[in-house]
Amino acid sequence: MKKLLFAALAATALTAQTAAPKPAVPVKLMRLDCGTVAANDLDQFSDTRAYVGQSKRLTASCYLIKHGDAYMLWDTGLPAAMKGKPIDPKAPMDATVTATLVEQLAAVGIKPEQISMIGISHYHFDHIGQAAAFPGATLLIGKGDFDALKAGEPGTSKVPLAPWIDGTAKSVPVSGDKDVFGDGSVTMLDLPGHTPGHHGLLVHLAGMGNVLLSGDVAHFRENYDSDGVPGFNTNRADSIAAIERFKGLAKNLKATVIIQHDPRDIAKLPAFPNWAD
């Protein structure tokens, strides 16, 4: 009896080893320009007064992910109404938009109704500004952020995400990490601290390998390198833990790190309208 059992197990193992692997669903990643931010008072990004008297131009980045025939947006940038807005050099922080998401998608032949999912790193206005252009998409957002939006907590606005907050459109509040497509290719990473439900995104590409999109775990390289915490983060201890986890993932996965607000990281991905794959 034992011999028969061992023989059956051996045959099963051999079949598993020799069977053709299931073909992976092709995944591609494209960076979209979602605006420019003038941080005229850069010290807002430090609760230790690290950047007194400094300023920096930052970028607002969004990302298009193609998983087989499905399209997902990661973040939706500054509001479309800011298109062409002059930047006020005297404001502590100001922003403008050159081209809307819908315009950029049209340039690559994609209609708003083809976007099936929107993943949101967090509830700040420069990451949710153009979400309403895709009311048919399912919204993926950290549960902590979703709850804060529903409660109307300070620093939140329901308006850009109104169809999902009021239940008109489908939403998926995400607790912890989430394997978006169920195959390990795209994972929302639980990185709270900047906001209660803040997430980053891990994308695995066949050619380029692992790519880590930061959300706002850090806003620029100096901030990232020094584990800097902006004074407006909702939880300092969680922020430090999140950036520690993010750096650990980057090291262990040998990932390309894209700090979404740092213009110097844009060149790590092909220029629009080209795909990374």
Side-chain angles (χ1 to χ4, degrees):
M1 185 66 179
K2 288 183 178 179
K3 288 183 178 179
L4 289 173
L5 178 60
F6 287 140
L9 289 172
T12 300
L14 182 62
T15 300
Q17 291 171 8
T18 56
K22 185 179 179 180
V25 176
V27 179
K28 297 181 179 181
L29 177 67
M30 180 188 294
R31 181 197 174 264
L32 304 172
D33 179 11
C34 282
T36 298
V37 178
N40 298 320
D41 176 12
L42 194 63
D43 204 44
Q44 294 178 86
F45 294 95
S46 172
D47 65 1
T48 60
R49 307 302 304 277
Y51 310 114
V52 174
Q54 297 183 41
S55 62
K56 189 180 286 289
R57 283 293 177 103
L58 303 176
T59 186
S61 293
C62 304
Y63 299 87
L64 179 65
I65 296 140
K66 188 174 189 294
H67 180 274
D69 294 327
Y71 290 102
M72 171 188 177
L73 279 175
W74 176 248
D75 283 339
T76 63
L78 290 156
M82 299 184 81
K83 181 180 176 182
K85 176 189 173 298
I87 287 180
D88 182 355
K90 296 182 179 179
M93 192 178 301
D94 202 6
T96 189
V97 170
T98 301
T100 69
L101 274 176
V102 171
E103 290 169 342
Q104 291 174 77
L105 291 173
V108 292
I110 299 171
K111 299 176 181 179
E113 55 267 30
Q114 290 178 263
I115 304 297
S116 59
M117 282 186 283
I118 296 174
I120 296 294
S121 63
H122 64 293
Y123 59 56
H124 286 159
F125 84 106
D126 55 325
H127 292 259
I128 64 173
Q130 297 177 55
F134 310 96
T138 297
L139 182 77
L140 306 177
I141 186 171
K143 186 177 185 303
D145 277 20
F146 193 69
D147 291 346
L149 284 162
K150 288 177 69 177
E153 293 186 5
T156 69
S157 172
K158 298 179 183 180
V159 175
L161 299 177
W164 298 276
I165 300 301
D166 65 21
T168 305
K170 183 180 178 181
S171 61
V172 179
V174 175
S175 297
D177 292 352
K178 180 173 180 60
D179 184 347
V180 175
F181 295 102
D183 60 3
S185 62
V186 180
T187 306
M188 285 182 66
L189 301 170
D190 189 29
L191 300 167
H194 183 60
T195 60
H198 180 271
H199 278 69
L201 195 72
L202 171 64
V203 181
H204 180 75
L205 303 173
M208 190 173 178
N210 294 308
V211 178
L212 277 168
L213 304 178
S214 66
D216 277 4
V217 74
H219 293 80
F220 45 92
R221 290 183 192 173
E222 293 81 358
N223 206 221
Y224 180 75
D225 292 341
S226 64
D227 299 338
V229 177
F232 51 84
N233 279 21
T234 57
N235 188 296
R236 193 178 204 282
D238 285 351
S239 298
I240 296 295
I243 198 166
E244 180 183 11
R245 183 191 183 205
F246 188 85
K247 287 182 174 181
L249 286 164
K251 178 182 177 181
N252 295 329
L253 296 176
K254 298 178 174 59
T256 298
V257 170
I258 307 293
I259 300 174
Q260 292 181 210
H261 279 301
D262 196 321
R264 293 168 292 188
D265 278 22
I266 292 173
K268 293 180 182 179
L269 293 174
F272 178 85
N274 297 308
W275 294 93
D277 54 19

